[in-house]
Amino acid sequence: MADHVIQQVIDAFATTVTGLTTTGAHVFKDRVHNLAAADLPALRIFDDAEEVRNEDITSLPYMQRRTITLTVEAVTKENNTLDA
């Protein structure tokens, strides 16, 4: 069975940000992945909210508009220049 559309969006976004200068391949598609020091700096990507609106319920095909909010969390080791 094909991945749900939300998972396809997350996968596509993760592919886009993989290989960045600072995080490289350290891109994780969940918020609960335990990160070791060797994994840092890293990005965590996950869906935070989904809004579903009925567009047209009077005709077929039935239409819905779905809006998701993706969260990208940057994780790094603590240091004095973190904000820079």
Side-chain angles (χ1 to χ4, degrees):
M1 183 174 184
D3 286 338
H4 190 277
V5 173
I6 292 174
Q7 189 60 49
Q8 292 177 36
V9 170
I10 292 170
D11 291 345
F13 188 81
T15 298
T16 300
V17 298
T18 297
L20 295 176
T21 304
T22 53
T23 54
H26 299 159
V27 177
F28 302 96
K29 297 180 283 185
D30 60 41
R31 72 179 96 203
V32 295
H33 187 91
N34 290 327
L35 298 175
D39 294 329
L40 302 178
L43 297 175
R44 290 181 179 165
I45 303 168
F46 51 91
D47 59 318
D48 206 23
E50 179 181 13
E51 176 187 336
V52 180
R53 284 192 346 227
N54 294 325
E55 290 291 305
D56 183 5
I57 60 172
T58 60
S59 64
L60 293 177
Y62 178 71
M63 301 294 290
Q64 288 183 331
R65 179 178 300 271
R66 294 175 175 258
T67 304
I68 63 169
T69 301
L70 287 184
T71 298
V72 179
E73 183 179 78
V75 183
T76 187
K77 297 176 189 176
E78 181 179 3
N79 64 50
N80 293 335
T81 60
L82 181 61
D83 288 332

